[in-house]
Amino acid sequence: MTYLPEISDETQSETVNVLLVDDLPDNLLALEVLLEKPSLNLVSVTSGLEALEALKKEKFALVLLDVDMPGMDGLETARQIRMGEANSHVPIIFATAMGVKRDFVLESYSAGAVDLLVKPLEPSILKSKVDVFVSLYRHEMKLEQAIRAQLEMKDRFLSQVSHELRTPLNALCQFLHIVESGMAGDLTDDQRQYLAIASRNAGNLKELVSDLVDVMRAQNNKLKISPQCISFRDLLEEIRPELDEDARTKSNQFSIHIEEDLPFLWADPGRIRQVIVNLCSNAMKFGPQGMLVSLMARRSSDSPGMVQIEIHDEGCGIEEDKLKTIFDPLYQLETPSVEDCRRGLGLGLFICQELVSQHGGRIWAHSELGKGSQFCFTLPCFSLEAVQASLGGEEGGLSSLSLLTFRVEGEMNGDEGKIQSGLRRLVERCTGPHRGILLPANLLKSRQRALSCLLFQASGPEVDGVCDRIRDEWKASSELKGYRFDLEALHGDQVSVELAG
């Protein structure tokens, strides 16, 4: 038995809107007198255009629509209502003095009417029909309220459960790692094997909990990304050991092919890592041992300003009619190559789709039974336009951007990562978080080995002050102590020229 959360009876006492449409004011007045009651808010208009405007602003339980009106008549008004986005499913009752000939009745229902009344209107029949549709509307509102309440209760439950699971899971994984690494004492071969199985299953459980959290965020429009300028090649270098290990466990081959001079991406590295690992893991999972899985990245030939990433496998393939549903939440492929214990919840592809969409890209799949599958997705290249789009059209646009370039003097001796991390923290202290992004060292062709930071909404005088604070902070920083640098600031159009070069 399913128990619904308790729903209030407020919907029964709330005022309901009813739209009255007639070109004659006297007719509208008569309708208002007949239908007047405290529970109804009667909105009267004298044309089809006014009716369409009213429907854009308010939600209505019913439209009582005169057919014979000058200009846009009732039939055309009904068609426009059904074609619109707002209130497109609102019940429409036609009122007409044209009789009820068969062709007219058919045309009326075809235009979107749910009922037809002939003038002069019989008061008891009119009131009865209005009461029925208002009652249906109230029941619909009550059902929607119940559904919202149940979804909120589900979200609260899943949020609480995931939170309660994460803390002990993190501790479990940490202690398993300590024991598995030998820090707690020597292990026999059998013990190492048992611990590896426990660690793998604990990791799988952590991923399931994270997937549940991401799905809840996606369904509540709270799944956010933090894009930055990244090198896809560098990102794959970080992920490569994990992907190679996954391939080795199934005796698969894994290859990567990246187009030369692939543009930098404007993307969230953590989220893109999540997408790639999920798609590659699926490719390894749904296929025989020893197959080849390949990842390719190139400029998109169909979408300028985008990079296309493709994951190919030689697995069992997917039926064509199922390619439209594989990105639905909880969808799982039925394949004998995957044990039930490894199927997961069927949330991975749905989350991938949500994350790619958040970046402004798209994801799709091609497949042929017995020959394998190809999953593709696109991501935006780094550009000032991409930065401006992510800023949500904030005041100032590209003219409010400034570029700070740091040229470190002397040899870094492999400390580029340390310097970048220190510089990122330094810039945040001097400008405030989320006011700028640190760019890859090899992005600026004319300034090789230079480190750069793009500042948002920063005028010339403000940037000069930021530069002075950076110089002072640099001298006092223990991380950057001993490194000398030159600092150059560019503004507005100069930024566009430099990044375009």
Side-chain angles (χ1 to χ4, degrees):
M1 180 180 294
T2 300
Y3 293 94
L4 288 175
E6 186 176 347
I7 304 301
S8 69
D9 291 327
E10 291 181 1
T11 52
Q12 300 299 328
S13 58
E14 289 179 357
T15 302
V16 172
N17 295 326
V18 174
L19 183 60
L20 311 177
V21 189
D22 198 304
D23 62 303
L24 299 178
D26 289 344
N27 289 348
L28 289 175
L29 181 59
L31 289 173
E32 291 171 1
V33 172
L34 282 174
L35 300 175
E36 184 179 12
K37 62 169 63 175
S39 61
L40 295 183
N41 177 38
L42 303 175
V43 179
S44 299
V45 296
T46 58
S47 70
L49 289 175
E50 289 181 6
L52 296 176
E53 286 300 315
L55 288 165
K56 292 178 182 178
K57 299 175 182 178
E58 298 287 347
K59 193 169 184 179
F60 289 88
L62 174 67
V63 177
L64 190 59
L65 180 59
D66 181 38
V67 175
D68 188 18
M69 296 188 296
M72 183 186 295
D73 64 13
L75 294 170
E76 181 59 26
T77 301
R79 294 189 188 99
Q80 292 295 324
I81 292 173
R82 293 291 180 247
M83 292 170 57
E85 296 182 1
N87 282 295
S88 59
H89 299 291
V90 62
I92 300 172
I93 296 179
F94 277 151
T96 178
M98 301 170 62
V100 287
K101 293 182 179 178
R102 183 176 183 276
D103 290 345
F104 174 72
V105 171
L106 293 176
E107 187 177 8
S108 298
Y109 286 118
S110 176
V114 297
D115 205 345
L116 191 65
L117 295 176
V118 179
K119 294 180 179 180
L121 301 176
E122 173 59 42
S124 60
I125 295 177
L126 174 63
K127 289 180 180 180
S128 177
K129 290 184 180 291
V130 169
D131 287 344
V132 167
F133 284 106
V134 168
S135 178
L136 289 172
Y137 177 81
R138 291 189 187 279
H139 283 295
E140 180 185 350
M141 292 299 100
K142 192 170 183 178
L143 180 59
E144 288 183 5
Q145 183 187 7
I147 292 172
R148 283 196 302 269
Q150 191 170 39
L151 289 174
E152 289 173 2
M153 184 176 66
K154 179 208 72 173
D155 289 344
R156 287 195 301 270
F157 171 74
L158 289 177
S159 178
Q160 184 68 25
V161 168
S162 61
H163 175 75
E164 294 297 332
L165 284 174
R166 274 182 163 182
T167 301
L169 267 176
N170 287 333
L172 174 63
C173 290
Q174 289 171 3
F175 281 105
L176 282 172
H177 175 71
I178 290 172
V179 177
E180 194 174 8
S181 64
M183 295 171 61
D186 295 334
L187 299 171
T188 66
D189 291 341
D190 286 343
Q191 288 171 334
R192 289 188 184 279
Q193 181 181 355
Y194 301 151
L195 281 170
I197 295 172
S199 295
R200 184 169 62 250
N201 282 280
N204 290 340
L205 187 54
K206 279 185 69 176
E207 290 178 7
L208 292 178
V209 173
S210 295
D211 285 350
L212 280 173
V213 173
D214 281 342
V215 168
M216 284 189 296
R217 289 171 177 166
Q219 292 177 337
N220 292 315
N221 296 317
K222 293 180 179 179
L223 186 61
K224 304 299 181 184
I225 62 170
S226 300
Q228 55 186 269
C229 182
I230 63 171
S231 163
F232 188 70
R233 191 181 301 273
D234 291 346
L235 178 63
L236 278 184
E237 284 299 314
E238 296 177 12
I239 306 174
R240 184 68 187 259
E242 182 178 350
L243 300 178
D244 286 341
E245 178 62 27
D246 197 12
R248 276 195 295 270
T249 58
K250 287 206 70 176
S251 303
N252 289 331
Q253 303 174 58
F254 181 66
S255 66
I256 293 177
H257 307 278
I258 302 179
E259 183 181 81
E260 289 294 327
D261 297 324
L262 190 74
F264 286 90
L265 301 180
W266 181 242
D268 184 327
R271 290 303 195 176
I272 298 309
R273 176 192 181 106
Q274 184 178 350
V275 172
I276 293 171
V277 169
N278 187 285
L279 294 179
C280 289
S281 176
N282 281 349
M284 306 284 186
K285 185 189 300 182
F286 294 100
Q289 288 189 350
M291 71 172 176
L292 173 65
V293 175
S294 59
L295 185 152
M296 291 181 278
R298 58 179 174 82
R299 290 177 176 85
S300 173
S301 57
D302 301 323
S303 304
M306 305 291 280
V307 164
Q308 182 166 317
I309 295 108
E310 304 170 0
I311 291 92
H312 301 253
D313 67 57
E314 299 173 341
C316 56
I318 305 169
E319 295 177 18
E320 185 175 356
D321 61 335
K322 294 180 179 177
L323 289 175
K324 298 177 181 178
T325 57
I326 56 176
F327 295 101
D328 293 345
L330 302 179
Y331 180 84
Q332 292 182 324
L333 284 172
E334 295 296 330
T335 171
S337 65
V338 182
E339 303 92 335
D340 287 338
C341 62
R342 297 182 58 221
R343 290 187 184 278
L345 297 177
L347 300 174
L349 288 179
F350 171 73
I351 294 171
C352 287
Q353 179 176 248
E354 291 294 316
L355 291 175
V356 171
S357 298
Q358 284 276 337
H359 283 83
R362 66 186 188 95
I363 186 170
W364 68 98
H366 303 289
S367 189
E368 189 173 349
L369 282 177
K371 294 187 177 181
S373 304
Q374 173 186 351
F375 281 80
C376 311
F377 65 97
T378 56
L379 295 171
C381 301
F382 171 77
S383 66
L384 290 182
E385 289 75 16
V387 173
Q388 185 182 32
S390 70
L391 293 175
E394 291 182 6
E395 186 178 353
L398 298 181
S399 63
S400 68
L401 297 178
S402 294
L403 182 70
L404 306 184
T405 303
F406 306 81
R407 188 186 299 278
V408 180
E409 296 181 0
E411 291 297 324
M412 297 189 196
N413 299 320
D415 288 341
E416 288 90 344
K418 172 185 173 183
I419 294 174
Q420 281 204 353
S421 298
L423 179 57
R424 178 178 287 108
R425 285 188 284 270
L426 184 149
V427 169
E428 285 195 354
R429 289 198 302 270
C430 295
T431 64
H434 313 302
R435 287 290 309 281
I437 53 172
L438 198 65
L439 306 179
N442 56 338
L443 175 66
L444 306 180
K445 298 294 188 293
S446 63
R447 290 171 166 79
Q448 288 299 316
R449 293 174 60 80
L451 302 174
S452 304
C453 178
L454 192 64
L455 297 182
F456 307 147
Q457 287 190 305
S459 61
E462 182 183 0
V463 173
D464 292 339
V466 169
C467 290
D468 290 339
R469 290 196 295 275
I470 288 176
R471 291 188 180 96
D472 293 338
E473 288 272 350
W474 187 290
K475 294 175 184 177
S477 172
S478 59
E479 296 174 296
L480 304 172
K481 188 176 181 180
Y483 295 100
R484 298 175 56 197
F485 72 100
D486 288 330
L487 176 58
E488 181 183 2
L490 302 176
H491 313 292
D493 293 339
Q494 294 175 314
V495 178
S496 303
V497 172
E498 181 60 44
L499 292 178

